[in-house]
Amino acid sequence: MTPHIRIQNEDFDVNDELEALASAQIDVGAVASFVGLVRGDGGLTSLTLEHYPGMTEREIENHVEEANRRWPLLGATVIHRVGTLKPGDRIVLVAVASAHRSAAFEACEFLMDYLKTRAPFWKREDRGGESAWVEARASDEEAAGRWK
Amino acid sequence: MTPHIRIQNEDFDVNDELEALASAQIDVGAVASFVGLVRGDGGLTSLTLEHYPGMTEREIENHVEEANRRWPLLGATVIHRVGTLKPGDRIVLVAVASAHRSAAFEACEFLMDYLKTRAPFWKREDRGGESAWVEARASDEEAAGRWK
Amino acid sequence: MTLLYFAWVRQKVGVAEETMNLPPGVTTLKDLIAHLEQRGGGYAEAFGNPQRLRAAVNQEHAGFDAAIADKDEIAFFPPVTGG
Amino acid sequence: MTLLYFAWVRQKVGVAEETMNLPPGVTTLKDLIAHLEQRGGGYAEAFGNPQRLRAAVNQEHAGFDAAIADKDEIAFFPPVTGG
């Protein structure tokens, strides 16, 4: 299984990505996916994402490999956007293909939990003129901890 | 939250469906989804789905309402195809929107487990000239049982 | 009452739908299953092994002890296999 | 060694990247953090409260006891907030 991992400024089309994932092998019966979006609550005007090029890709690759050891995966796609995004914009796609649904769901959640707590991305929120870095959430650490 | 529930012969576009779901409310931060596909293993040539019109929609509505009581959902889409499908074709889409990912993932899995064990659909597999009704799997009953 | 059959139950009995009056002495799904089995032929095949069957009364899943009435829509089918 | 700074760490120190020779007596990340804090100004702000910081050595997450060498790529950043 060769995962598709992309860090990009551009948006993505979920249908295209899932089709590429599912069409790779005829025994794909289940594709679980997650799309994260910019929430517009609290007067947010934009969200800016920066990352650590090189380390980001390496971390994601490592976690996809780990997922592949834990579940019988037939494909995985991780796309994470960087740059400045608006409320409602897609931020991230994680999609996992397997023969059956439980493996696909579990691996997808596993990858999202690790993206949240290990992949070197940082979010800055802009509200009108005010700008603030997003603080990490303890609940994300707990979510990642359950896979240990 | 008004769910989108459709039983149809036609295919669907996942990107369009997720966009409709996410654009309904600005505080959607997470969309978890599942796509089930026809696996082409074992020499399958086609899969034919029949359903119990009326009861199907009612069962799915009931389970979406139950999911909405358990998790703070901002939207849900369930599309299930009927008729004759080929290997690689999409069968089902379940997509759930929420502010945060854990609610979206859990509600999506909950709905899939109940679709598998409660919604009145039946699959018939054709392999060349041979035709056979798919047997229900005990593992699906167990998966649904964990939500009790 | 209206009787609906799906999947292999429909194939065995040979029709998708039929109407009948509630037979004398039939008050539950279990009674109805025994009554239908006695018709013989495809009915005997479909209803002779009730643990392979599932049922709905008025479009809701129902156990075989469920009471039935003449106005009901009753469906028999195998365990579901959607999703 | 190469030092990389991200998010508010970068904003406080005022540069995204710099190179320096391993200072005498510095053998771990903890030593390097103390050394950088002593530069004062934005460095003191960024490195004065190490529990708010995370680090990577050669693009892998590392605890502050990790040994470092002159050829390493070392990054300092806040807890990550992607996904």
Side-chain angles (χ1 to χ4, degrees), chain D residues 11-55:
Chain D
Q11 289 186 318
K12 286 188 192 295
V13 303
V15 296
E17 181 172 345
E18 62 183 316
T19 54
M20 61 180 281
N21 295 321
L22 191 67
V26 168
T27 61
T28 67
L29 282 173
K30 191 188 247 174
D31 298 337
L32 180 60
I33 289 168
H35 175 85
L36 291 167
E37 187 194 356
Q38 285 168 7
R39 285 184 175 177
Y43 283 89
E45 281 183 45
F47 293 96
N49 198 354
Q51 66 264 39
R52 296 186 62 205
L53 284 179
R54 298 292 180 273

Side-chain angles (χ1 to χ4, degrees), chain B residues 49-55 58-59 80 91-92 112 115-124 133-136, chain C residues 4-8 10-11 52 54-61 73-83:
Chain B
L49 275 138
E50 78 175 63
H51 77 303
Y52 183 172
M55 179 173 168
R58 176 191 288 218
E59 274 289 322
H80 203 301
I91 304 172
V92 61
M112 272 309 302
L115 260 186
K116 285 265 180 192
T117 55
R118 301 284 295 179
F121 292 97
W122 300 274
K123 291 191 184 109
R124 200 185 67 222
W133 293 95
V134 174
E135 298 276 333
Chain C
L4 303 176
Y5 309 114
F6 294 96
W8 58 252
R10 171 177 47 75
Q11 290 184 318
R52 296 185 63 206
R54 298 293 180 274
V57 176
N58 298 322
Q59 306 195 355
E60 301 209 356
H61 290 286
E73 175 180 305
I74 294 169
F76 291 104
F77 43 78
V80 304
T81 55

